[in-house]
Amino acid sequence: MGQKKDLTGSEKSKIVRYLAEGCSSLKIAKLLKRDHRTIKRFIQNSQQGRKKRVEKPRRKITAHELRKVKCAAAKMPLATSLAIFQSCNITGVPKSTRCAILRDMAKVRKAERRPPLNKTHKLKRQDWAKKYLKTDFSKVLWTDEMRVSLDGPDGWARGWIGKGQRAPVRLRRQQGGGGVLVWAGIIKDELVGPFRVEDGVKLNSQSYCQFLEDTFFKQWYRKKSASFKKNMIFMQDNAPSHASKYSTAWLARKGIKEEKLMTWPPCSPDLNPIENLWSIIKCEIYKEGKQYTSLNSVWEAVVAAARNVDGEQIKTLTESMDGRLLSVLAKKGGYIGR
């Protein structure tokens, strides 16, 4: 019965079971044919419990070095802690200390996604802002599409979980499990829609116009007065199905042409207030990392969330346009955020 260094996982389980049955350490050693000292050592270590981690003191960083780190973090967005400290010629600092120091002066953030703006885009954005600077935006119908998936955007299924609680199980599916394409519009304090694009339909010029005919024109526009139709300005972005010759001619036959059809600058989702409405709806339907099991269920969630958006919220969005135009001019056509 020679002495061995380590107990196997199976042997450890048996020791725990034998102890629960009231067996002594000597008897357990005989049953497992292991050295008595090995069994006693395992029992003693188990009874002592896990030792608490002792926090080691941080390496002292001088005030001058802290200023250098702060400047480097400002000049090197999205850089790692190691790269920031190396640029300051500060060596010998462990990762935990680097991160602890940076947490006092910076945050871990993802890069913001935005469309690329070249010189031509900026000039067109400025021309657009000057053209519509005196427009009554309460008469503009802002429209756009949004795709919602069963799983929601990546990274949204995060939140605080109490100590001792397990994180809920989250399904993994290809491409977010599929999705639903939604169209809607906002004007003054009113929400138009939302309307669901039929599953499997790819929006080209013909299908887009047919969709508008079946939803927007039949269910909303026809009910409006002649004076309303005369003053309303229709806004849509420059998606191929929107800006094609076919769609433009079709809208013209519906009376939406010339000054009644707003021109739109390229790469400018930040100027469309309905993008903020999509954010409100997505935050509601995907809160607490919620997932859906069918396309109908996620569509029902979109409809319910849209109903909860009151007129004051929509009015705040549409009334923000004057400020957006001034921001575009102040930034010389640059991106203004949302």
Side-chain angles (χ1 to χ4, degrees), residues 28-162:
I28 295 172
K30 290 179 179 179
L31 290 170
L32 298 180
K33 297 181 180 181
R34 294 297 299 262
D35 187 80
H36 185 211
R37 290 170 294 176
T38 303
I39 304 299
K40 286 181 68 177
R41 190 182 304 114
F42 171 75
I43 296 173
Q44 289 172 357
N45 291 340
S46 300
Q47 291 173 345
Q48 286 175 0
R50 188 175 179 181
K51 292 183 179 179
K52 291 185 178 180
R53 181 180 174 182
V54 179
E55 291 290 337
K56 295 181 180 179
R58 293 186 193 174
R59 175 193 180 282
K60 290 186 178 180
I61 305 293
T62 65
H64 177 64
E65 288 176 328
L66 281 176
R67 288 195 294 271
K68 289 174 67 177
V69 169
K70 189 173 183 178
C71 290
K75 293 178 181 178
M76 302 169 61
L78 304 181
T80 63
S81 63
L82 179 61
I84 292 172
F85 274 73
Q86 284 180 342
S87 69
C88 301
N89 296 321
I90 303 174
T91 59
V93 182
K95 182 179 179 181
S96 57
T97 304
R98 296 196 305 265
C99 293
I101 291 170
L102 287 172
R103 272 195 292 270
D104 294 334
M105 62 182 70
K107 291 182 179 181
V108 177
R109 300 287 295 274
K110 286 184 178 181
E112 294 183 5
R113 290 185 176 183
R114 59 179 61 173
L117 291 176
N118 57 34
K119 187 176 180 180
T120 303
H121 295 157
K122 291 180 180 179
L123 289 173
K124 288 184 177 181
R125 284 162 62 91
Q126 290 182 77
D127 292 340
W128 177 86
K130 292 174 183 177
K131 179 180 179 180
Y132 291 102
L133 195 57
K134 296 182 179 180
T135 301
D136 182 1
F137 290 111
S138 66
K139 294 179 172 59
V140 178
L141 175 68
W142 308 93
T143 72
D144 195 20
E145 294 93 7
M146 168 187 69
R147 180 170 291 279
V148 290
S149 66
L150 299 183
D151 295 342
D154 294 337
W156 280 33
R158 292 185 179 185
W160 294 100
I161 296 176

Side-chain angles (χ1 to χ4, degrees), residues 20-298:
E21 294 173 358
C23 296
S24 65
S25 60
L26 182 60
K27 185 176 180 181
I28 295 172
K30 290 179 179 179
L31 290 170
L32 298 180
K33 297 181 180 181
R34 294 297 299 262
D35 187 80
H36 185 211
R37 290 170 294 176
T38 303
I39 304 299
K40 286 181 68 177
R41 190 182 304 114
F42 171 75
I43 296 173
Q44 289 172 357
N45 291 340
S46 300
Q47 291 173 345
Q48 286 175 0
R50 188 175 179 181
K51 292 183 179 179
K52 291 185 178 180
R53 181 180 174 182
V54 179
E55 291 290 337
K56 295 181 180 179
R58 293 186 193 174
R59 175 193 180 282
K60 290 186 178 180
I61 305 293
T62 65
H64 177 64
E65 288 176 328
L66 281 176
R67 288 195 294 271
K68 289 174 67 177
V69 169
K70 189 173 183 178
C71 290
K75 293 178 181 178
M76 302 169 61
L78 304 181
T80 63
S81 63
L82 179 61
I84 292 172
F85 274 73
Q86 284 180 342
S87 69
C88 301
N89 296 321
I90 303 174
T91 59
V93 182
K95 182 179 179 181
S96 57
T97 304
R98 296 196 305 265
C99 293
I101 291 170
L102 287 172
R103 272 195 292 270
D104 294 334
M105 62 182 70
K107 291 182 179 181
V108 177
R109 300 287 295 274
K110 286 184 178 181
E112 294 183 5
R113 290 185 176 183
R114 59 179 61 173
L117 291 176
N118 57 34
K119 187 176 180 180
T120 303
H121 295 157
K122 291 180 180 179
L123 289 173
K124 288 184 177 181
R125 284 162 62 91
Q126 290 182 77
D127 292 340
W128 177 86
K130 292 174 183 177
K131 179 180 179 180
Y132 291 102
L133 195 57
K134 296 182 179 180
T135 301
D136 182 1
F137 290 111
S138 66
K139 294 179 172 59
V140 178
L141 175 68
W142 308 93
T143 72
D144 195 20
E145 294 93 7
M146 168 187 69
R147 180 170 291 279
V148 290
S149 66
L150 299 183
D151 295 342
D154 294 337
W156 280 33
R158 292 185 179 185
W160 294 100
I161 296 176
K163 291 183 178 179
Q165 294 182 333
R166 294 188 62 184
V169 177
R170 186 167 176 82
L171 301 175
R172 294 185 63 184
R173 292 179 284 212
Q174 290 286 346
Q175 303 296 324
V180 174
L181 187 62
V182 181
W183 183 96
I186 54 175
I187 181 169
K188 198 175 180 180
D189 58 355
E190 185 178 358
L191 173 63
V192 183
F195 300 116
R196 177 179 178 177
V197 178
E198 187 178 345
D199 298 340
V201 173
K202 185 177 180 180
L203 280 187
N204 53 30
S205 300
Q206 291 78 11
S207 59
Y208 173 66
C209 294
Q210 186 60 52
F211 171 79
L212 289 181
E213 176 65 31
D214 296 338
T215 55
F216 168 69
F217 282 101
K218 286 185 177 180
Q219 300 183 38
W220 187 81
Y221 190 71
R222 286 184 180 178
K223 300 176 183 178
K224 297 299 180 179
S225 64
S227 60
F228 177 88
K229 294 176 182 178
K230 181 180 178 181
N231 295 319
M232 190 198 80
I233 301 173
F234 187 84
M235 173 273 155
Q236 59 182 3
D237 61 23
N238 294 320
S241 60
H242 300 173
S244 67
K245 291 181 179 179
Y246 180 93
S247 299
T248 304
W250 185 84
L251 286 171
R253 292 195 296 272
K254 292 289 185 179
I256 299 176
K257 57 184 177 180
E258 299 173 352
E259 295 302 317
K260 287 176 60 61
L261 180 62
M262 177 178 281
T263 57
W264 193 248
C267 304
S268 300
D270 56 317
L271 301 180
N272 191 350
I274 201 173
E275 296 288 349
N276 300 89
L277 175 69
W278 295 144
S279 297
I280 294 170
I281 290 175
K282 285 185 175 180
C283 286
E284 178 63 25
I285 66 176
Y286 296 123
K287 64 182 179 182
E288 300 176 0
K290 185 172 178 59
Q291 290 180 290
Y292 298 88
T293 56
S294 68
L295 298 181
N296 286 334
S297 62
V298 71

